[in-house]
Amino acid sequence: MDLRQIRWSIALVVAIVLCGVLWFGGNAIRNLTVTRPLLNAMASADSVEDVEMINGTEGLTVILTVKEGADLQTAYEAAMAQAGLHAQNAVAKVLVKDSNDAAMARLFRERVAFVLHEAIATGHYAGLPDRVQEAAGFTRATVTIDERHLFVTMQTGDQRLYRVINRTTDVKTGGETW
């Protein structure tokens, strides 16, 4: 048996184990110093029921669950304020978990989205809540606005559809949800 082969194989095993320890250690430190404090801070907002995080290649994806009866815009802004305080650009995307069925999603896609897209394209937001409510029909719909987003909530019974739409980049997609 050649000793040079044994030494290289041992060095290779040690290098692989060391890389694994460093990778897992880095993830553990990030979890303790960034992810866990951010999760706790975001979950402490009054209008947020739950917060989940997915660590992806682009950064953290935050999934918010809005408390029943709470305002979507208030929950989103409270969560984003905490993200700004704790994570400093670690959050790549914020999604809002909703509880709608296929019919409500189709209603949004086929009727309400057109009204929102028209408002974004033309910049005419006056009367938008009334136009969205008219398009939604019997489903209760609310729309609020800030400098960068439209916040849409549609509700029928226990079902809720939430959309946070960036007024400059989400015109084609209609916002994202989880």
Side-chain angles (χ1 to χ4, degrees), residues 134-155:
E134 182 180 328
F138 294 109
T139 302
R140 192 180 99 206
T142 58
V143 179
T144 56
I145 189 171
D146 72 3
E147 298 82 26
R148 296 186 339 222
H149 302 96
L150 291 175
F151 301 90
V152 181
T153 302
M154 293 172 53
Q155 180 179 354

Side-chain angles (χ1 to χ4, degrees), residues 63-76:
I63 304 163
L64 295 177
T65 303
V66 179
K67 281 186 180 174
E68 188 172 337
D71 177 57
L72 172 61
Q73 182 175 359
T74 303
Y76 183 86

Side-chain angles (χ1 to χ4, degrees), residues 52-152:
E52 301 170 42
M53 291 191 190
I54 300 171
N55 195 1
T57 56
E58 301 156 3
L60 292 174
T61 298
V62 175
I63 304 163
L64 295 177
T65 303
V66 179
K67 281 186 180 174
E68 188 172 337
D71 177 57
L72 172 61
Q73 182 175 359
T74 303
Y76 183 86
E77 288 175 350
M80 292 307 293
Q82 292 299 328
L85 290 174
H86 291 276
Q88 297 178 356
N89 300 327
V91 176
K93 190 184 298 186
V94 177
L95 305 176
V96 182
K97 187 181 271 188
D98 53 17
S99 60
N100 65 68
D101 63 358
M104 186 179 288
R106 187 173 52 253
L107 174 65
F108 177 82
R109 193 174 52 251
E110 293 176 359
R111 300 200 45 168
V112 175
F114 288 108
V115 175
L116 297 169
H117 290 269
E118 179 184 40
I120 292 170
T122 62
H124 294 104
Y125 298 103
L128 181 61
D130 295 333
R131 294 194 318 262
V132 167
Q133 182 60 59
E134 182 180 328
F138 294 109
T139 302
R140 192 180 99 206
T142 58
V143 179
T144 56
I145 189 171
D146 72 3
E147 298 82 26
R148 296 186 339 222
H149 302 96
L150 291 175
F151 301 90
V152 181

